[in-house]
């Protein structure tokens, strides 16, 4: 499997590491206990609890493997090195939606850290892709799932 570099902030890296630790130390033993309990109930060929616990274990192990891979391929970005002349990952971009005349601010982050409630927009989204490499004052048109949206970049910060 080809390794893909994952760009994270320091806090995003620590959050991923903590979640992996939780899965290993809390979730994995809990599923093992469920499997043992289901196994004690007798015939495994007709034991739905056992099948469900084994399936949950497989899903958990896949999640753990993915997180381990992400952490191994992670590169922590230094926000002090971010250039504010052009939009790039970790840029905070203040936009004016020219359709609604409302201002919005997004921080462009990797897919792993995206959270719209926190204003963190993944660089792989239509808006994120359209913003990359743009400068203050640029007007962009984004073909989003809700239709065409026109933005003007008001400000780029870190």
């Amino acid at each position: 499997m080809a390794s893909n570099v994952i760009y994270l902030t320091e806090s995003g890296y620590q959050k991923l590491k903590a979640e992996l630790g939780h899965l290993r130390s809390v979730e994995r033993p809990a599923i093992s206990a469920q499997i043992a309990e289901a196994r004690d109930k007798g015939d495994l060929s007709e034991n739905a609890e056992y099948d469900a616990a084994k399936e949950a274990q497989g899903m958990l192990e896949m999640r753990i493997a993915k997180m381990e891979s992400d952490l191994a391929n992670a590169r922590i970005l230094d926000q002090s090195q971010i250039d504010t002349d052009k939009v790039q990952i970790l840029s905070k971009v203040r936009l004016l939606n020219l359709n609604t005349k409302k201002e919005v601010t997004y921080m462009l982050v990797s897919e792993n850290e995206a959270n719209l409630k926190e204003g963190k927009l993944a660089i792989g989204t239509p808006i994120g892709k359209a913003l990359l490499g743009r400068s203050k004052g640029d007007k962009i048109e984004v073909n989003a799932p809700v239709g065409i949206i026109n933005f003007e970049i008001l400000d780029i910060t870190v």
Side-chain angles (χ1 to χ4, degrees):
M1 175 177 4
S3 66
N4 294 327
V5 174
I6 309 272
Y7 295 101
L8 298 170
T9 60
E10 178 66 34
S11 65
Y13 180 83
Q14 294 305 328
K15 184 178 175 185
L16 191 62
K17 215 169 136 177
E19 187 177 349
L20 177 60
H22 175 78
L23 293 179
R24 286 177 175 161
S25 64
V26 177
E27 300 293 327
R28 188 182 268 165
I31 288 180
S32 293
Q34 288 174 0
I35 291 171
E37 185 180 316
R39 191 180 299 130
D40 291 343
K41 292 185 179 177
D43 185 10
L44 297 182
S45 64
E46 296 179 15
N47 190 330
E49 277 184 57
Y50 178 78
D51 291 340
K54 287 298 279 183
E55 187 174 327
Q57 181 185 41
M59 298 297 286
L60 177 69
E61 292 303 326
M62 282 180 17
R63 247 178 100 197
I64 288 172
K66 170 82 168 89
M67 287 180 144
E68 287 172 341
S69 173
D70 287 351
L71 284 170
N73 295 311
R75 301 295 176 266
I76 298 173
L77 296 170
D78 182 359
Q79 287 182 295
S80 67
Q81 302 297 314
I82 303 298
D83 178 21
T84 57
D85 291 337
K86 300 248 183 232
V87 177
Q88 56 188 313
I89 192 166
L90 294 190
S91 294
K92 270 191 184 170
V93 185
R94 191 166 55 96
L95 303 169
L96 175 64
N97 182 326
L98 298 173
N99 301 0
T100 63
K101 303 297 184 213
K102 290 186 180 177
E103 282 188 25
V104 292
T105 301
Y106 295 120
M107 179 181 197
L108 292 182
V109 295
S110 69
E111 311 296 330
N112 298 41
E113 290 187 76
N115 184 338
L116 269 181
K117 289 180 184 173
E118 296 175 7
K120 294 180 176 180
L121 184 70
I123 57 174
T125 61
I127 295 172
K129 288 178 183 176
L131 289 170
L132 286 176
R134 300 300 186 109
S135 302
K136 182 178 176 177
D138 283 358
K139 290 185 168 101
I140 57 171
E141 183 176 278
V142 178
N143 190 2
V146 296
I148 295 179
I149 306 171
N150 294 293
F151 290 107
E152 180 179 353
I153 299 174
L154 299 177
D155 198 21
I156 303 169
T157 58
V158 178

